[in-house]
Amino acid sequence: MSEAIERFFESLPARAPQVLRGPVAGTIQIDLSKDNQTTHWLVRMAPGEIEVSQVRGPADAIWYNSEELFERLVTGRAQAIAAVLRNESTFSGNVVLFLAFRRFFPTRPGTRDPREVARQQAGRLR
């Protein structure tokens, strides 16, 4: 297991109050595969809080990834929705949990908020 992935999961509880503001609640199991072995992470989400364990258990959703892809996700070099749409990873279950969980991933280096870009453009036109 890469250090970036472990640090990512360790950081989730402290980041949850800022990221999970809406009424999302449920459990997502994230399965990471490498060399015919699968590591399981069980993430229980509730408004403003998250609980992470490295077990397999009952879940409302399951997200299957390669460890290499997940490392790209946690370092901002890939996007979760794009990976699912390209069939690089698969997801089953409550899609709301996937959409909420993806907000924990960092943005790609150099990415700017489109609202800020629009404000700057509007300011130049004045």
Side-chain angles (χ1 to χ4, degrees):
M1 180 70 49
S2 83
E3 186 177 330
I5 292 173
E6 289 184 14
R7 280 195 324 257
F8 172 78
F9 281 110
E10 288 171 2
S11 74
L12 295 181
R15 297 172 51 215
Q18 293 87 22
V19 177
L20 295 176
R21 295 181 188 176
V24 86
T27 303
I28 183 170
Q29 179 176 302
I30 300 167
D31 290 346
L32 305 179
S33 63
K34 180 179 182 182
D35 299 330
N36 295 327
Q37 292 195 353
T38 302
T39 305
H40 307 283
W41 293 87
L42 197 63
V43 180
R44 288 184 180 90
M45 295 186 284
E49 61 185 62
I50 201 164
E51 185 181 309
V52 179
S53 59
Q54 206 170 354
V55 297
R56 188 176 192 178
D60 301 305
I62 302 175
W63 187 21
Y64 304 93
N65 293 281
S66 69
E67 187 177 313
E68 183 271 330
L69 170 63
F70 203 77
E71 183 169 346
R72 287 187 300 147
L73 291 168
V74 302
T75 57
R77 295 178 291 142
Q79 294 182 341
I81 290 179
V84 170
L85 292 175
R86 284 193 301 263
N87 207 26
E88 292 177 333
S89 68
T90 57
F91 180 85
S92 65
N94 186 343
V95 73
V96 172
L97 298 174
F98 170 73
L99 295 174
F101 186 79
R102 73 183 175 95
R103 294 190 309 231
F104 284 98
F105 294 123
T107 58
R108 182 166 284 201
T111 302
R112 296 173 53 201
D113 186 331
R115 294 169 293 192
E116 184 60 34
V117 172
R119 287 183 199 111
Q120 289 175 352
Q121 293 295 328
R124 289 184 195 154
L125 296 175
R126 292 181 189 181

